Amino acid sequence: DQQVKQNSPSLSVQEGRISILNCDYTNSMFDYFLWYKKYPAEGPTFLISISSIKDKNEDGRFTVFLNKSAKHLSLHIVPSQPGDSAVYFCAANGHGSSNTGKLIFGQGTTLQVKP
Amino acid sequence: NAGVTQTPKFQVLKTGQSMTLQCAQDMNHNSMYWYRQDPGMGLRLIYYSASEGTTDKGEVPNGYNVSRLNKREFSLRLESAAPSQTSVYFCASKRNSNQPQHFGDGTRLSIL
């Protein structure tokens, strides 16, 4: 039972254009969402997060949108750069675990930004 | 600033062998986590330690044990390795609630 889903295994965009990565979740009790970026042979690195009390959070080229009614979040990267090519994971804070930080991850989306 | 350090980086085991994966963090974080990453499945939580002296099971704990040796170190042990445990293992830590976890670079484990 996949509680956090990234339905697009891969995405390819042109340098300078917008990249939109999507994530859906099923548990309405999730209250904190994160995006991680992962390069090959490295660990995931934190990118941006959003609390369930907000619907948008922005950090430079990266913006995360949260639609609680649809149980959907998205990560927008604009403009996309070749260095953004990586695997992107969304993650959610598990129900009743705000104090332990247990995260549930999606399967990941591989982003390729073409020069 | 090393962050989260995992050793070894690579290991090949035979079925039935035992192995301990080491993890240490130098950020004075309270909570530590062990995940495994398999193709098409994202990261799944094996065990975690919310604070020094406590450990709890995650999604996929069977076949593993953990030890929170002190605040810095959190080890993962495979008592009798099985081919299904072939995976990339990541350790993570964080300071407190609603802060992001910081990950090590992983241990790539193959069990023949």
Side-chain angles (χ1 to χ4, degrees):
Chain A
D1 180 24
Q2 192 81 20
Q3 295 189 67
V4 178
K5 295 181 182 181
Q6 295 175 253
N7 291 316
S8 298
S10 62
L11 175 68
S12 182
V13 300
Q14 207 66 36
E15 180 179 6
R17 307 294 288 269
I18 185 171
S19 296
I20 300 176
L21 296 95
N22 294 304
C23 180
D24 298 297
Y25 61 96
T26 58
N27 191 335
S28 58
M29 298 302 290
F30 288 153
D31 58 6
Y32 183 55
F33 303 88
L34 307 90
W35 285 94
Y36 281 85
K37 179 168 75 172
K38 185 183 179 305
Y39 293 118
E42 294 183 10
T45 55
F46 170 70
L47 198 55
I48 193 169
S49 64
I50 188 167
S51 164
S52 60
I53 62 173
K54 295 184 175 182
D55 55 16
K56 176 182 174 181
N57 189 28
E58 191 172 354
D59 183 3
R61 297 187 296 114
F62 302 92
T63 302
V64 56
F65 295 92
L66 176 62
N67 182 334
K68 284 189 293 183
S69 62
K71 297 190 182 68
H72 177 83
L73 65 155
S74 60
L75 174 68
H76 293 210
I77 306 173
V78 73
S80 301
Q81 299 173 354
D84 296 330
S85 299
V87 179
Y88 289 78
F89 292 98
C90 69
N93 208 40
H95 168 49
S97 61
S98 295
N99 293 328
T100 64
K102 290 165 61 176
L103 293 178
I104 299 176
F105 282 83
Q107 307 97 309
T109 297
T110 300
L111 173 66
Q112 181 184 30
V113 180
K114 297 179 178 179
Chain B
N1 192 0
V4 178
T5 302
Q6 292 184 236
T7 55
K9 294 189 184 304
F10 303 93
Q11 186 69 49
V12 179
L13 295 177
K14 294 181 180 179
T15 298
Q17 287 185 315
S18 61
M19 170 79 187
T20 299
L21 280 60
Q22 307 287 352
C23 175
Q25 52 91 9
D26 62 2
M27 298 174 284
N28 201 34
H29 285 174
N30 294 311
S31 303
M32 297 186 73
Y33 308 83
W34 276 105
Y35 294 88
R36 59 179 288 174
Q37 186 195 3
D38 301 295
M41 300 192 72
L43 283 80
R44 291 182 293 168
L45 183 65
I46 305 170
Y47 270 93
Y48 68 101
S49 171
S51 61
E52 185 179 359
T54 69
T55 61
D56 283 289
K57 296 178 180 179
E59 295 177 70
V60 288
N62 292 345
Y64 305 95
N65 286 301
V66 290
S67 295
R68 184 74 184 266
L69 303 169
N70 47 56
K71 191 170 186 178
R72 290 186 63 247
E73 298 173 289
F74 188 39
S75 63
L76 178 72
R77 183 162 179 83
L78 288 69
E79 290 290 351
S80 179
S84 62
Q85 294 176 305
T86 293
S87 188
V88 182
Y89 291 85
F90 289 101
C91 177
S93 70
K94 73 169 196 173
R95 184 175 301 278
N96 51 37
S97 62
N98 280 7
Q99 288 194 351
Q101 295 179 19
H102 297 257
F103 284 81
D105 283 338
T107 294
R108 285 145 188 83
L109 186 60
S110 294
I111 298 152
L112 308 178

